Amino acid sequence: MAMKEVLVPDIGNFDSVDVIEVHIKPGDTVNQDDSLITLESDKASMDIPAPFSGTVKEVKIKVGDKVAQGALIAMVEASDGAAAPVEAPKAEVPAAAPAAAPTAKVANVEVPPPSRPVPEVPKPIAPQHTPNPVAARVEFAPGKNPHASPSVRKFARELGADLTRVPGSGPKGRISKEDVQAWIKNELTKPRTEAAAGGPGLSVLAMPNIDFSQFGETETQALPRIKKISGANLHRNWVTAPHVTQFDAADITDLEDFRKSMQDEAAKRGVKLTMLAFLMKAAVNALRAYPNFNASLSADGGELILKKYFNIGFACDTPDGLVVPVIRDVNQKDVLDIARELGELSAKARERKLKIEEMQGGCFTISSLGGIGGTAFTPIINCPEVAILGVSRSSIEPVWDAKSKTFEPRLMLPLSLSYDHRVIDGADGARFTSHMRVMLSDVRRLLL
Ligand code: CAO
């Protein structure tokens, strides 16, 4: 087994080319044609392959060096049966070694000229239009291709990474292996918006990675698991379903009086009778009247699946993030039953004891921020449901009474209905909230 020098072969008319990648280290075993280093000129980049198989003993080159033909790359112990020796006395430097490069420099160290005719020369770096057999090796034509070395391209190809979408962090936007790895990691962890949105044409611009500490003090916290999961779902739903939000306000003066009158009775049964229980009843009524709201689009978007059951979810704020427990068969339950379940499920949610099945099977969701405040908001549909009702804080407002021709102080509840415009037309959106308004303003109808 002989120790041999491996030198930069004929790389065309370049006498100072950047070493942008070194793929070997002492101790590595290389096979003939394995890429040893990658060079880059201002026009192109190229891999320098191993001329024979062996074990790397010393690496004589590093990223950032500038080299020319003949520069010493490494000392490699050739394995048995390796190709013809590379060492050759200076006198035997073949005519093939251009006279223009008798010596070359690695950093400031003089290195000897090529000591052997290098086989399998990766030929000159040439622009793509040159009718040259090595043109296929030119991996970068500015303005046409992503800026990456052959080895990075190979790496990206193996992992299925589309280099046109990978941002390069190197000089002139050059894409490194690390850039490809970071891009793939990001692709694997980010919400799958493209497929859901209908194709790669709708890809989202990558968020810039900013070091905020340059502007002031910061603290980094991991997102709770629930936030990660709900965030991904919310993002998908926001991107997938074309949302429209219809606003309205229901006069709940009488309903609120009724609720208060029932509170003691409910308390005796250990139940807190909240407005949300009545909203669920009103929602079932409106879903019956407008069956398209109690539906889901098939996964391919070609069919509408109408549901004959009435399971209503409610957004529940927990210290770890948003969850949506579901009350089943709300149509078969009275307001006290609903209120009891609301209390039980929201307690479970806050204690992180909700089971998966208690969050499944919903037809429609109500998100009530009434206990907190606000006048209106635009809730995100809990897909594959097609609509969600947002409820804000009720307040006393002057309402015109046409009969008495006076303004009456009435307790008004703001409603914000977001719906999927692929399934629901604007007119039905307005009809649905009007229906809710009527139901909530007339307790008798609501409890029928
Ligand atoms: N207007 C005025 N007051 C209201 C109200 C409204 N619309 N809704 C509730 N309130 C009052 C209640 O009467 C109660 O007052 P008292 O304590 O004096 O009786 C207080 O606000 C608190 O209500 P609550 O929170 O106990 O009960 P709830 O049924 O309104 O809400 C729940 C239950 C689980 C929905 C709620 O606790 C919650 O988590 N809300 C947040 C939902 C959320 O984050 N949504 C955003 C999702 S993004 O789409």
Side-chain angles (χ1 to χ4, degrees), residues 101-267:
T103 59
K105 280 193 168 191
V106 174
N108 291 319
V109 181
E110 290 275 328
V111 294
S115 56
R116 71 188 260 293
V118 183
E120 300 177 37
V121 174
K123 282 278 174 119
I125 303 163
Q128 269 178 326
H129 62 266
T130 307
N132 184 315
V134 296
R137 292 196 65 92
V138 175
E139 299 285 348
F140 174 58
K144 287 187 181 169
N145 288 323
H147 188 177
S149 70
S151 59
V152 169
R153 285 171 185 277
K154 182 165 175 277
F155 181 65
R157 248 192 329 273
E158 283 167 1
L159 297 177
D162 176 359
L163 278 183
T164 59
R165 297 172 59 201
V166 179
S169 61
K172 298 177 214 156
R174 187 176 66 231
I175 301 165
S176 67
K177 202 171 167 187
E178 289 70 33
D179 292 333
V180 175
Q181 282 167 330
W183 184 83
I184 287 172
K185 196 172 164 200
N186 186 44
E187 285 297 300
L188 290 175
T189 51
K190 81 178 187 187
R192 307 275 80 209
T193 54
E194 283 188 2
L202 292 177
S203 63
V204 182
L205 195 65
M207 199 61 78
N209 191 3
I210 297 172
D211 174 14
F212 296 102
S213 65
Q214 65 185 302
F215 307 116
E217 197 188 342
T218 61
E219 182 194 327
T220 303
Q221 294 180 345
L223 271 187
R225 207 178 123 277
I226 291 182
K227 270 223 160 88
K228 279 191 187 158
I229 296 169
S230 64
N233 283 317
L234 288 164
H235 188 190
R236 179 203 58 199
N237 300 349
W238 178 252
V239 173
T240 310
H243 283 60
V244 177
T245 306
Q246 172 71 46
F247 301 105
D248 211 329
D251 182 341
I252 57 163
T253 317
D254 299 338
L255 178 57
E256 184 61 1
D257 287 346
F258 177 74
R259 188 180 75 87
K260 282 186 177 148
S261 72
M262 289 281 292
Q263 254 172 350
D264 286 349
E265 172 72 22

Side-chain angles (χ1 to χ4, degrees), residues 3-23:
M3 184 77 82
K4 297 175 184 175
E5 292 179 330
V6 177
L7 308 173
V8 172
D10 178 5
I11 53 172
N13 297 324
F14 294 96
D15 55 7
S16 177
V17 180
D18 289 327
V19 177
I20 61 165
E21 285 174 46
V22 175
H23 308 294

Side-chain angles (χ1 to χ4, degrees), residues 137-426:
R137 292 196 65 92
V138 175
E139 299 285 348
F140 174 58
K144 287 187 181 169
N145 288 323
H147 188 177
S149 70
S151 59
V152 169
R153 285 171 185 277
K154 182 165 175 277
F155 181 65
R157 248 192 329 273
E158 283 167 1
L159 297 177
D162 176 359
L163 278 183
T164 59
R165 297 172 59 201
V166 179
S169 61
K172 298 177 214 156
R174 187 176 66 231
I175 301 165
S176 67
K177 202 171 167 187
E178 289 70 33
D179 292 333
V180 175
Q181 282 167 330
W183 184 83
I184 287 172
K185 196 172 164 200
N186 186 44
E187 285 297 300
L188 290 175
T189 51
K190 81 178 187 187
R192 307 275 80 209
T193 54
E194 283 188 2
L202 292 177
S203 63
V204 182
L205 195 65
M207 199 61 78
N209 191 3
I210 297 172
D211 174 14
F212 296 102
S213 65
Q214 65 185 302
F215 307 116
E217 197 188 342
T218 61
E219 182 194 327
T220 303
Q221 294 180 345
L223 271 187
R225 207 178 123 277
I226 291 182
K227 270 223 160 88
K228 279 191 187 158
I229 296 169
S230 64
N233 283 317
L234 288 164
H235 188 190
R236 179 203 58 199
N237 300 349
W238 178 252
V239 173
T240 310
H243 283 60
V244 177
T245 306
Q246 172 71 46
F247 301 105
D248 211 329
D251 182 341
I252 57 163
T253 317
D254 299 338
L255 178 57
E256 184 61 1
D257 287 346
F258 177 74
R259 188 180 75 87
K260 282 186 177 148
S261 72
M262 289 281 292
Q263 254 172 350
D264 286 349
E265 172 72 22
K268 274 188 210 150
R269 299 200 210 173
V271 174
K272 185 178 179 195
L273 186 56
T274 68
M275 184 55 68
L276 196 49
F278 293 96
L279 285 162
M280 290 216 164
K281 281 306 258 187
V284 167
N285 206 299
L287 291 173
R288 276 194 204 281
Y290 299 96
N292 277 10
F293 283 76
N294 192 10
S296 286
L297 275 176
S298 58
D300 65 4
E303 290 172 319
L304 191 64
I305 300 150
L306 295 154
K307 298 163 194 171
K308 311 288 177 181
Y309 50 88
F310 298 87
N311 300 340
I312 312 278
F314 63 102
C316 186
D317 185 33
T318 78
D320 293 328
L322 185 69
V323 291
V324 183
V326 173
I327 300 192
R328 289 175 185 271
D329 302 314
V330 174
N331 55 317
Q332 295 170 20
K333 295 174 178 164
D334 64 31
V335 279
L336 284 174
D337 292 334
I338 299 167
R340 178 180 291 108
E341 270 193 61
L342 275 171
E344 288 167 359
L345 286 172
S346 42
K348 267 185 160 181
R350 285 175 185 133
E351 291 160 19
R352 304 179 193 177
K353 287 186 181 157
L354 270 186
K355 295 184 192 132
I356 292 285
E357 56 266 29
E358 288 171 320
M359 294 183 275
Q360 288 174 334
C363 306
F364 180 83
T365 298
I366 301 178
S367 175
S368 174
L369 293 174
I372 302 167
T375 54
F377 65 107
T378 54
I380 296 177
I381 301 163
N382 190 16
C383 296
E385 296 169 19
V386 294
I388 179 169
L389 180 73
V391 181
S392 299
R393 193 169 190 78
S394 56
S395 60
I396 304 273
E397 285 176 26
V399 175
W400 182 249
D401 181 19
K403 251 193 204 162
S404 63
K405 292 202 172 23
T406 54
F407 281 104
E408 298 284 329
R410 306 293 293 177
L411 185 64
M412 303 301 290
L413 180 72
L415 307 175
S416 309
L417 177 83
S418 292
Y419 56 85
D420 185 338
H421 210 347
R422 292 173 301 176
V423 177
I424 293 156
D425 294 334

